């Protein structure tokens, strides 16, 4: 059986207080702390992030309620190949070399009408969201969370820019129609981990800019340090976990790292987590920064 790793220390996965960002104060010290985390493990927490706790509580309540619905009900809006919106049953998502992930999800993104020129041009991941009309509470809670994390992602990009010696608005110029996707994840109770190829989510790096994650108190997110040790990312109330995607490695010539991480539900209980994957506009030229 795979042993649970020790929890990460605050030095290994620091908690950054976003109060200076919220108050319009100088961002130098905050950006310095962010840069240190990005150069070492590619993960950090943010507190005082500006997303109301009522919005977070609301989306978790709706997520638990949704995944308690009968499978037949959820399958009515199974995820589509074109827009990648809707319910994804367990067993579809699989990382190379591993068993399919032991999770299911409901996925939505920036809501664009069919007559939007980028939707009409069939750009990947551009399109309208899909919601079960008989469960309006899901859309209400999910859209509030999406709007909150979209705004938080844009605020964080200002700190990232300062951390790299750029103008605060450097990345925001590429957020006219950002490719942002949120997923409501449900990890069913699973037996103790016996198979080193079977995970809630197998070890991987995210491929985009940044991921903003809220997890429930059960935890289960695990990070691999640069020395190869795996550590747990503990639940910290009132925070988001932020991690870098591979795109920041390109921007920074591998100075900022996108880190391997995985999810293991060892609790024997149902686990829920809600990531927002923040990516910039489709047509953005991504290349190593001059600095």
């Amino acid at each position: 059986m795979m042993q649970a790793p020790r929890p990460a220390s605050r030095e290994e996965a620091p908690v950054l207080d976003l109060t200076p960002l919220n108050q319009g104060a100088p961002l130098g010290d905050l950006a310095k702390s962010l840069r240190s985390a990005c150069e070492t493990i590619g993960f950090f927490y943010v507190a005082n992030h500006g997303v109301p706790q009522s919005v977070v509580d609301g989306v978790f309540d709706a997520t638990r309620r949704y995944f308690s619905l009968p499978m037949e009900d959820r399958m009515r809006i199974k995820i589509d190949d074109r827009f990648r919106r809707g319910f994804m049953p367990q067993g579809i998502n699989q990382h190379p070399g591993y068993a399919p992930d032991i999770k299911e999800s409901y996925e939505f993104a920036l809501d664009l009408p069919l007559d939007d020129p980028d939707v009409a041009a069939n750009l990947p991941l551009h399109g309208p969201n899909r919601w079960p009309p008989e469960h309006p509470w899901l859309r209400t809670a999910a859209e509030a969370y999406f709007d909150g994390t979209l705004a938080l992602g844009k605020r964080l990009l200002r700190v990232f820019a300062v951390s790299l010696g750029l103008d605060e608005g450097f990345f925001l110029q590429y957020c006219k129609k950002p490719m942002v996707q949120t997923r409501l994840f449900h990890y069913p109770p699973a037996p103790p981990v016996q198979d080193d190829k079977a995970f809630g989510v197998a070890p991987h790096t995210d491929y985009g800019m940044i991921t903003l994650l809220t997890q429930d108190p059960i935890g289960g997110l695990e990070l691999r340090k640069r020395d190869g040790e795996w550590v747990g990312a503990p639940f910290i109330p009132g925070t988001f976990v932020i991690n870098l995607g591979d795109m920041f490695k390109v921007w920074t010539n591998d100075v900022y790292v996108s880190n391997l991480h995985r999810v293991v539900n060892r609790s024997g209980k149902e686990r829920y987590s809600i990531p927002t994957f923040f990516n910039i506009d489709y047509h953005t030229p991504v290349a190593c920064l001059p600095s």
Side-chain angles (χ1 to χ4, degrees):
M1 183 188 305
M2 186 187 302
Q3 296 298 312
R6 65 175 176 83
S9 69
R10 291 294 177 92
E11 290 73 31
E12 291 166 325
V15 179
L16 306 186
D17 185 344
L18 298 188
T19 298
L21 179 63
N22 302 334
Q23 296 179 343
L27 298 177
D29 289 344
L30 178 59
K32 184 178 179 181
S33 297
L34 180 144
R35 178 164 183 141
S36 176
C38 292
E39 289 178 341
T40 54
I41 197 167
F43 275 82
F44 56 91
Y45 295 76
V46 292
N48 296 313
H49 45 68
V51 181
Q53 189 61 42
S54 59
V55 169
V56 175
D57 293 343
V59 77
F60 271 104
D61 288 345
T63 299
R64 286 187 287 266
R65 185 177 175 185
Y66 174 76
F67 286 109
S68 70
L69 295 171
M71 179 62 74
E72 179 184 353
D73 194 341
R74 286 178 278 156
M75 286 293 286
R76 290 187 186 124
I77 303 187
K78 185 180 178 182
I79 196 163
D80 62 293
D81 291 333
R82 181 181 176 190
F83 301 129
R84 305 299 294 174
R85 268 80 162 169
F87 171 64
M88 181 183 285
Q90 184 176 321
I92 292 180
N93 197 65
Q94 184 172 4
H95 296 275
Y98 291 92
D101 290 345
I102 307 171
K103 73 175 190 303
E104 53 186 351
S105 62
Y106 197 92
E107 311 198 0
F108 50 98
L110 190 69
D111 197 19
L112 299 171
L114 289 172
D115 60 2
D116 179 278
D118 288 333
V119 178
N122 288 319
L123 289 192
L125 302 180
H126 289 66
N129 287 328
R130 304 167 66 223
W131 302 105
E134 66 276 23
H135 305 304
W137 41 267
L138 179 66
R139 178 175 184 174
T140 299
E143 287 185 337
Y145 181 84
F146 180 88
D147 291 345
T149 50
L150 172 64
L152 174 57
K154 289 181 177 180
R155 292 197 299 274
L156 283 171
L157 288 185
R158 294 170 51 201
V159 189
F160 276 99
V162 173
S163 78
L164 294 166
L166 302 167
D167 179 82
E168 269 189 40
F170 176 81
F171 294 114
L172 293 178
Q173 67 181 309
Y174 304 122
C175 287
K176 304 293 190 299
K177 199 181 295 181
M179 297 172 62
V180 178
Q181 183 188 51
T182 297
R183 299 176 184 173
L184 311 178
F185 280 157
H186 171 229
Y187 299 84
V193 179
Q194 305 285 353
D195 184 351
D196 63 2
K197 298 297 183 184
F199 294 87
V201 179
H204 67 286
T205 61
D206 292 349
Y207 57 78
M209 285 285 280
I210 56 175
T211 302
L212 306 89
L213 172 76
T214 43
Q215 53 180 342
D216 67 13
I218 287 173
L221 174 63
E222 298 174 356
L223 325 174
R224 195 180 76 171
K225 295 171 56 185
R226 297 293 282 276
D227 63 8
E229 181 189 8
W230 286 91
V231 293
F235 169 74
I236 301 177
T239 66
F240 278 80
V241 183
I242 311 297
N243 72 275
L244 298 185
D246 298 337
M247 197 175 291
F248 254 119
K249 293 181 65 178
V250 178
W251 287 113
T252 65
N253 197 25
D254 290 3
V255 173
Y256 284 12
V257 298
S258 57
N259 212 59
L260 272 177
H261 53 287
R262 66 192 184 193
V263 174
V264 185
N265 184 9
R266 295 183 171 86
S267 68
K269 302 175 183 177
E270 292 179 291
R271 176 187 185 268
Y272 303 90
S273 68
I274 307 174
T276 292
F277 299 94
F278 195 106
N279 298 301
I280 49 182
D281 297 345
Y282 181 84
H283 295 292
T284 302
V286 179
C288 180
L289 298 166
S291 59

